[in-house]
Amino acid sequence: MRKFLNLLPIGKQGLGLQEFVKRGSVTADFLGGKAGVVNCGVSMSKPFDFEIGKLTGPGSASFRPPLGLAPAPERRTFFLETFGCQMNDHDSEKVAGVLLARGYRQVDRPEAAGLILYNTCSIREKAAQKVFSRLGEYRTKQSEGKIIGVLGCLAQQEGEDIFERAPWVSLVCGSASYRRLPQLIAELESGNHRVTGLDLDTDETFETEITRRDNPFRAYLTIIEGCDKACSYCVVPYTRGPERSRASDSILREVRQLADLGYSEVQLLGQTVNSYADPTPRRMRFAELLLAVAEVPGIRRVRFTTSHPSDFTPDIVEAMEAQPKVCEHVHLPVQSGSTKVLRAMQRTYTRSEYLEKIGMIRSATRAIAITTDIIVGFPGESEADFEETLRLLDEVRYDSLFSFKYSPRPNTPSLKLPDVIPEEEKSRRLAVLQDKQREIQSARNGQLTGETFEVLVSGKSRRENQWSGYTSSNRLANFTSQAKELLGTYVQVRVTGATPNSLVGEHVV
Ligand code: 5AD
Ligand code: SF4
């Protein structure tokens, strides 16, 4: 990170370019050669030139391609595709940082890469299938001299079986072993054909010197890895290992660096982010950490996801009330509205305990948006249980939700449960749930017409004078403005209309 800070180009192309370079949102071409393209992800790219070699740190002099493979320079390029959640996206940013620090260059097509990496997801069967079909497309690539690696949850779940199923793969590394990634890459570079990182017993989190961040407006920051809950349907405790919290001083140090780089919004990440337990003698509580992050000079917004209802304590709402920089949004997965199903899911709370948490959040003076995750068709979910979930939607009136059909996953306790729900019935329930939620969102967003919100502008449409960004409550707002340049700035937007998934508005100057 510091390397980026110290070597910023000065006086190039005005604010836009410099800001995006500062934030590390740069394409591979930039990081590999003397000149390149800066890409802010919102259709802006500009050429520039300065010495890139210094930015990426020393490369590995010991690199030798495996016998019979293509020559070295072309091979020190990588293509990285990410499947799955925000944690995976952020892990990929760190993996890219590790590789860039070793002198690799990122490319945007697997054809152009010497090293092809897939950061995978196995949370539902569909996600896992997608990874295997993508791997299948690269069956012939190894013979072209490319190295193929599988990272993330599917790597952890399938382990060395991946070599059986896809013998053209050379690297299999689960997220709990990312600390070993530089070493594994060094082994590959020295010609080792099969390397694995599959230990789950690490008590360290994955911290890197350089994280190459993709989003120039919102910086993601993992504060807790793994999960100690034992939901009966979930692979995460197996694929990401036990819960490990990052030291509060290290988190705050990175937030200060992010602020220096020009980020004003940070999002704290964890599978159960609010279960955070500071390992340092300071023993900072999660709510205290939120406040401490918000107090870092330059930080204007702090977000966090995902919260677990059982660990959602009143001091979190108090922190949100006390500090407007803590964004007014809580993602609080309920999974089901039926206590019977929640018990079978081993979710550690009942419907009424969950609703107490909702009551606590709703009693705040701020209009805190609440979103959730729901699984339909869990084994044993009767029509009456499903209707309890629908009634919960009416009661809570979520601002948005992610809904999934139950997907049986390897090694999980729910695999053994009787009363499996047929696939068609799961699909029917999903459609009913989503229709209901669409109506709720239309009504909720519609009620906001006439109100004014602060929006962090993160997108510029090709259509003239059209911009987009997110409110503190994480609603997408599409709005008109006559201003010349707004990206990365905070503006006031008056809502003039709404769709189920977004607000429509105009810039109030
Ligand atoms: N089947 C369906 N959905 C699942 N989720 C986790 N595991 C499964 C599964 N086996 C959903 C939960 C979780 C979200 C990230 O994914 O709703 O909150
Ligand atoms: Fe999975 Fe439950 Fe942990 Fe969430 S809390 S990651 S659903 S085990």
Side-chain angles (χ1 to χ4, degrees), residues 315-374:
D315 57 345
I316 302 173
V317 178
E318 283 158 22
M320 295 173 95
E321 289 278 62
Q323 176 51 275
K325 291 180 187 178
V326 180
C327 288
E328 49 196 34
H329 173 215
V330 177
H331 185 62
L332 202 67
V334 65
Q335 312 299 359
S336 168
S338 150
T339 296
K340 184 194 97 190
V341 175
L342 288 172
R343 198 169 301 127
M345 288 177 164
Q346 296 170 195
R347 278 297 284 181
T348 69
Y349 53 83
T350 62
R351 174 194 174 97
S352 67
E353 283 164 348
Y354 179 86
L355 283 172
E356 276 171 32
K357 305 283 177 177
I358 296 292
M360 180 174 85
I361 299 168
R362 290 265 189 256
S363 69
T365 57
R366 293 178 78 188
I368 299 172
I370 306 177
T371 57
T372 201
D373 292 346
I374 287 178

Side-chain angles (χ1 to χ4, degrees), residues 227 229 231 233-234 236-237 271-272 308 347:
C227 182
K229 305 282 189 260
C231 303
Y233 51 82
C234 187
V236 168
Q271 305 291 344
T272 56
H308 193 285
R347 278 297 284 181

Side-chain angles (χ1 to χ4, degrees), residues 159-173:
E160 297 190 0
D161 289 354
I162 290 185
F163 295 135
E164 302 288 311
R165 228 169 133 173
W168 52 95
V169 168
S170 301
L171 163 72
V172 173
C173 180

Side-chain angles (χ1 to χ4, degrees), residues 14-15 19 28-29 36 38 74 77 82 148 176 194 200 246 278-279 282 292 305 313 320 338 372 379 422 437 454 474:
L15 174 108
E19 281 302 297
D29 288 344
V38 176
E74 202 261 329
T77 47
T82 310
I148 298 168
R194 283 199 172 161
L200 269 183
R246 190 173 162 187
D278 184 8
R282 225 169 142 186
T305 201
T313 43
M320 295 173 95
S338 150
T372 201
Q437 180 59 22
E454 185 188 71
N474 213 29

